[in-house]
Amino acid sequence: TRDRRPKRGPDETWPQGVYKGGVTQQDNLDILHAMEADLSGFWRDFVTKVAAADPISPEVTQALVEGVLNFPLHVAKALWIEMVRADYRKTVSAITVPTLILYGDPGSAYGEGDAQALHNAIPHSTLQPIPGGHMFYLAQPKATFDAIENFMIL
C-alpha cells in the first residue's frame, strides 16, 4: 500500500508525491517565480483553473479571484511554501477530540485516499464526502453546512 498520510511537499521517501505526483520541486519554484512576476495574473489563472474543475458559479469564481488579489506577495509565497512543506503525518494521530473530515468527491486535490488516511490516523474521526470537487464547500454550501451541523449535534 502507498503511504497516503497528509503531506504535500516533495519527499523522495514518500511515494505519494505532491498532489499525487503532479507538482515537483521545479514546479514549486516556477510557481513562486510566476507569483513574483505577476501575482494578479498568477491568482487569476490558478483560481480559474481550480474552479473550472468544480461545479461553482462564475460569480463565486470571480469573488475568489478578487479575494486572493488582496494577498501581498510575501503572504502568497509564504502560504504556498507552507502548503507544500507542511508535514502533519505525526501530528494528526495526536488529535483526540471527535473530528469531522470532509472531502470533495470526485476530483479533489485532496481526495478520498487522503481523507481515508486522515480518518485512519485520527481516532474518533468521521469521514464524509461532499459532491463538488476541490471546492465542495463553495459548490455545495448547504450540504457542507448540513454535514457540519449534523456532526455537531451528535
Side-chain angles (χ1 to χ4, degrees):
T1 62
R2 290 191 300 179
D3 179 356
R4 295 182 65 100
R5 292 173 291 179
K7 182 171 185 340
R8 290 291 175 223
D11 180 347
E12 293 298 321
T13 67
W14 192 60
Q16 183 64 15
V18 178
Y19 291 116
K20 300 183 177 63
V23 179
T24 66
Q25 182 80 18
Q26 186 59 51
D27 293 332
N28 283 314
L29 291 172
D30 293 345
I31 287 167
L32 294 173
H33 290 306
M35 286 180 178
E36 291 169 351
D38 180 9
L39 185 60
S40 296
F42 168 81
W43 281 126
R44 279 189 189 88
D45 291 347
F46 182 79
V47 171
T48 302
K49 286 176 187 172
V50 171
D54 294 338
I56 61 174
S57 71
E59 295 82 18
V60 171
T61 300
Q62 183 58 35
L64 282 170
V65 169
E66 290 171 10
V68 296
L69 290 179
N70 293 318
F71 288 7
L73 177 61
H74 72 281
V75 171
K77 288 173 66 176
L79 286 171
W80 189 271
I81 290 167
E82 182 59 24
M83 180 185 69
V84 298
R85 284 189 359 191
D87 184 352
Y88 299 108
R89 292 180 286 179
K90 293 179 182 170
T91 307
V92 295
S93 61
I95 298 171
T96 59
V97 297
T99 304
L100 176 62
I101 301 167
L102 301 175
Y103 69 94
D105 183 43
S108 178
Y110 298 94
E112 182 179 6
D114 297 301
Q116 186 64 51
L118 281 173
H119 178 59
N120 293 342
I122 301 172
H124 314 292
S125 63
T126 301
L127 184 62
Q128 184 170 347
I130 303 284
H134 186 66
M135 290 191 249
F136 64 89
Y137 48 91
L138 296 174
Q140 300 290 336
K142 180 163 179 11
T144 303
F145 175 81
D146 289 347
I148 295 167
E149 183 178 50
N150 291 334
F151 178 77
M152 297 300 290
I153 292 172
L154 297 175

